[in-house]
Amino acid sequence: MHLRITTWNINSVRLRPAALAKVVRQLEPDVLCLQETKVADEAFPRSMVEDLGFEHLHIHGQKAYHGVAILSRRPLEGCHTHRWCAIDDSRHAVCTLQGGIELHNVYVPAGGDEPDIEKNPKFRHKLAMLDEMSDWFAASRDDTRRIVLVGDLNIAPLENDVWSHKQLLKVVSHTPVEVAKLERLRQSHGFVDAVRAIVPPEEKLYTWWSYRARDWRAADRGRRLDHVWLSPALAPALRDATVMREARGFDLPSDHVPVTVDLDV
DNA sequence: ATGGTAGGTATCCTA
């Protein structure tokens, strides 16, 4: 069975019906994982996403901030959420797809501006959530589990995941301490970075461009913050991975673009 | 070194 999964930080699901429709029409994902929906569950535009063909929904939002959602054309089972760092942020939703494929949709904190846990509680929170998730995946490791972990992890781990490795070493999202925590999370369950298994690490690749650039396309100062990881049991199912760069040029764009994987499961 | 834009909300937070 073919399975196409797309992850996208939409930066407000209510503000971008046109961009969402375009993404769905062009990519035709079976499952679409959204982050930063920025809406309480009772105000989520359910009928809009149902009209786009997503009959099965797992919505985990809150007012104004964060929020994740799993939209699916295929049945979802065992939907639940995770709460990390004893904080009631809506950052992690889980569902199981047909065939026992466990899908985790994650939104890691951006972490503020200062990469110092003493001065910046948001950076401390970012690192703490990565540690807690790593411990949880390590403790429940089972290499027969078929897991897809997607989301805005807010870290660009490789040199070519940022426009300038050297200039971003002290910038939150690419500091060595964050990269080490992300790597620990990846290794906690033997996850494979699906996008870099398809696009060679020697190639620059970004999924986010700041709104603050005068001309994002000309400057091209992007970062690869959005990821798709596969557990060892699922890694051989990977067929393709793509980044929808053109979505950054849509009218009223999100600052992130969709990332898609094709699996033969 | 600095400030730049965007979204949601309520007069400022987060990204």
Side-chain angles (χ1 to χ4, degrees), chain A residues 20-255:
Chain A
L20 181 63
K22 222 165 153 178
V23 163
V24 171
R25 199 163 55 238
Q26 290 186 24
L27 297 177
E28 297 188 319
D30 299 300
V31 184
L32 177 54
C33 294
L34 300 177
Q35 304 87 34
E36 280 207 273
T37 52
K38 292 187 172 177
V39 62
D41 294 350
E42 58 270 23
F44 191 95
R46 282 179 168 271
S47 59
M48 175 181 81
V49 300
E50 282 162 2
D51 290 348
L52 292 172
F54 300 105
E55 204 181 320
H56 309 277
L57 310 180
H58 178 35
I59 295 160
H60 178 44
Q62 66 186 82
K63 186 179 176 180
Y65 301 111
H66 325 311
V68 290
I70 298 175
L71 320 178
S72 178
R73 302 183 194 279
R74 308 243 180 99
L76 299 172
E77 294 167 9
C79 295
H80 61 282
T81 64
H82 278 284
R83 174 173 177 273
W84 301 108
C85 305
I87 297 172
D88 281 319
D89 284 353
S90 298
R91 295 188 180 275
H92 189 168
V94 189
C95 291
T96 303
L97 295 160
Q98 289 161 324
I101 295 168
E102 204 183 307
L103 176 61
H104 291 253
N105 180 13
V106 178
Y107 176 50
V108 171
D113 288 330
E114 181 76 43
D116 181 334
I117 59 169
E118 304 302 328
K119 295 183 199 160
N120 175 7
K122 288 187 281 202
F123 193 67
R124 179 193 293 270
H125 177 212
K126 181 179 197 175
L127 298 187
M129 176 167 161
L130 293 165
D131 275 339
E132 271 192 33
M133 285 184 68
S134 302
D135 293 343
W136 186 87
F137 274 109
S140 62
R141 182 157 180 175
D142 169 356
D143 285 348
T144 66
R145 265 164 89 192
R146 304 209 291 169
I147 307 174
V148 186
L149 187 155
V150 309
D152 176 5
L153 305 184
N154 263 315
I155 297 171
L158 305 180
E159 293 198 10
N160 287 324
D161 291 341
V162 292
W163 63 275
S164 167
H165 170 62
K166 204 177 162 188
Q167 285 177 260
L168 287 173
L169 276 170
K170 291 178 180 174
V171 174
V172 172
S173 73
H174 193 61
T175 64
V177 61
E178 292 168 87
V179 170
K181 298 283 188 194
L182 188 73
E183 180 65 2
R184 185 175 163 245
L185 174 61
R186 194 184 62 72
Q187 288 177 358
S188 69
H189 209 286
F191 290 115
V192 171
D193 178 341
V195 177
R196 281 307 190 185
I198 298 295
V199 181
E202 294 76 25
E203 242 174 74
K204 292 281 184 196
L205 186 66
Y206 316 133
T207 65
W208 173 90
W209 293 261
S210 172
Y211 284 127
R212 292 175 186 174
R214 283 183 216 99
D215 183 340
W216 72 272
R217 208 188 305 262
D220 201 21
R221 294 186 167 189
R223 307 177 198 169
R224 188 172 72 104
L225 304 178
D226 303 274
H227 300 272
V228 179
W229 289 353
L230 304 173
S231 68
L234 207 50
L238 179 65
R239 293 294 172 270
D240 200 10
T242 56
V243 172
M244 192 184 195
R245 182 183 164 99
E246 63 266 35
R248 187 62 179 78
F250 286 176
D251 293 333
L252 203 66
S254 169
D255 45 354

Side-chain angles (χ1 to χ4, degrees), chain A residues 251-265:
Chain A
D251 293 333
L252 203 66
S254 169
D255 45 354
H256 295 252
V257 299
V259 179
T260 300
V261 292
D262 288 296
L263 305 177
D264 231 333
V265 297

